[in-house]
Amino acid sequence: MKKKQNINFTVTIWDGMNIFLAVATAVTTLIFIILFVICFAEDVGTPKHGFVLGMCGVFASLASAFFIAWIMRVYDIKHKKYQEQKALTILRPYLKKTFSTIELFFPQLKSFATINDDKIQYSMETIYYTDPSEGYANRSFINLREEFAKAYLNLEKDLQDCLNAPILFQCNEEIAILLTKLKLNGLTRNLLGSTDSLFNNSTLYSLNKNYDEFIELYNALAIISESKPTGQLKELSDEAKKEYIREIEIVKQHITSNHTGRIYKGRDRIQ
C-alpha cells in the first residue's frame, strides 16, 4: 500500500468529481458574466442581441446546475466523512491492539534478523536490546524463535476481531482493504515456518515480497491507529546485558505471584 504519511482514511471532499463541478461552475459563471456584459453593448431587438441574451440564459442555467450539484455533493460527502471519522474512532482500539501485537515481533525482526533471497537468518538465543529512539533508558529482551512461533495466530486473531467488528462497515473502505491485505500477507506464516527445524536454511516462498509489503502495511496501520512505529533497535553490549540479567534475577526473587504475562519495572521488561 503505497501511501504518503499524511494519508487520511476517510472520504475526500475534494475528489475528482467535485473538482470538476467546481471548475465547471466557475467557467460557466464567467462565460455568463461576459455574455451578460456583451448583452448591454448590443442594440435591443437585434438578432445578435437576442442570440447573446439566449446564450446568457443557457450558461446561467448551466452554472446554476453545476453549482447545485457541487453543493449537494459536498454536503453528502461531508456527512459521510463525519460518519467515517466517528466509526474510525470506535474501531481504533481494535486497530491499536493489532498494532501492539505486531510490535511484539516486527521491529525485532527488522533489527535482528536478515532476510535475503527468500531466506531468513536470526539468532536462536535470547536477544537483549534497547530502543534508542525512545529518548530514555529502556531495556527489553526477545527470543525470536518463540515470538515468531506465536506471531501468526496472535495477529490472525486480532485481525479477525477487526474484520468482524460491525462498525467496520461504516468506516472508509481503505481500512477494510488494509486489514484484508494484512490478513492475506504471508509474512507471519513464513516466520512460523522458519521456527521449524525442517525449514532451517530453506527457501520460504515469497518471503522477501511479503516482508516488503508488510513494512508498508505496518506504517499505514501506525498512522490509522495513531501509534508510533518503532525504529531501529540496538542490542545491548555484553557488559550491559550482564547487568540487565542480574537486575532481572533480583526483581524476580521478589515476585511472589504466579504471573504468566509480561512484567515491567519502569521501562525495563523483567518477564
Side-chain angles (χ1 to χ4, degrees), residues 4-194:
K4 294 182 179 180
Q5 287 299 307
N6 62 350
I7 187 172
N8 187 5
F9 284 90
T10 54
V11 65
T12 302
I13 293 178
W14 285 103
D15 60 359
M17 180 57 71
N18 272 352
I19 292 174
F20 167 76
L21 291 173
V23 171
T25 300
V27 171
T28 51
T29 300
L30 179 62
I31 295 175
F32 163 73
I33 293 173
I34 293 172
L35 290 172
F36 187 72
V37 172
I38 294 175
C39 190
F40 284 97
E42 300 295 332
D43 294 333
V44 178
T46 62
K48 189 174 182 180
H49 178 269
F51 173 77
V52 173
L53 188 61
M55 293 304 294
C56 278
V58 171
F59 280 95
S61 298
L62 286 173
S64 299
F66 282 130
F67 178 73
I68 292 172
W70 176 72
I71 284 293
M72 292 298 294
R73 200 164 186 278
V74 167
Y75 174 80
D76 288 341
I77 291 180
K78 285 186 71 175
H79 177 70
K80 184 178 180 182
K81 186 180 182 70
Y82 171 76
Q83 292 296 110
E84 288 182 353
Q85 288 174 333
K86 184 177 179 181
L88 176 55
T89 300
I90 298 173
L91 184 67
R92 188 160 280 129
Y94 292 90
L95 300 174
K96 283 184 176 290
K97 186 174 185 296
T98 302
F99 185 80
S100 297
T101 296
I102 294 175
E103 283 282 280
L104 295 178
F105 71 89
F106 191 62
Q108 296 83 353
L109 167 66
K110 292 194 299 179
S111 299
F112 306 124
T114 301
I115 294 177
N116 191 29
D117 295 331
D118 286 341
K119 294 182 180 180
I120 182 171
Q121 294 180 327
Y122 56 87
S123 173
M124 297 297 175
E125 304 295 328
T126 299
I127 300 172
Y128 297 84
Y129 64 90
T130 183
D131 183 357
S133 66
E134 289 294 335
Y136 44 73
N138 64 93
R139 294 171 297 182
S140 188
F141 56 88
I142 187 173
N143 184 296
L144 293 177
R145 186 168 188 169
E146 293 177 359
E147 291 300 330
F148 291 168
K150 297 183 292 185
Y152 174 75
L153 290 179
N154 289 343
L155 184 57
E156 184 78 4
K157 180 181 181 302
D158 287 344
L159 287 172
Q160 198 59 51
D161 288 342
C162 288
L163 291 169
N164 288 342
I167 198 66
L168 178 64
F169 294 100
Q170 298 181 36
C171 293
N172 188 273
E173 63 178 6
E174 285 294 322
I175 298 175
I177 291 173
L178 169 64
L179 295 172
T180 302
K181 284 186 175 181
L182 273 170
K183 186 175 177 63
L184 295 178
N185 181 272
L187 179 63
T188 52
R189 191 180 293 276
N190 290 144
L191 298 180
L192 178 63
S194 74

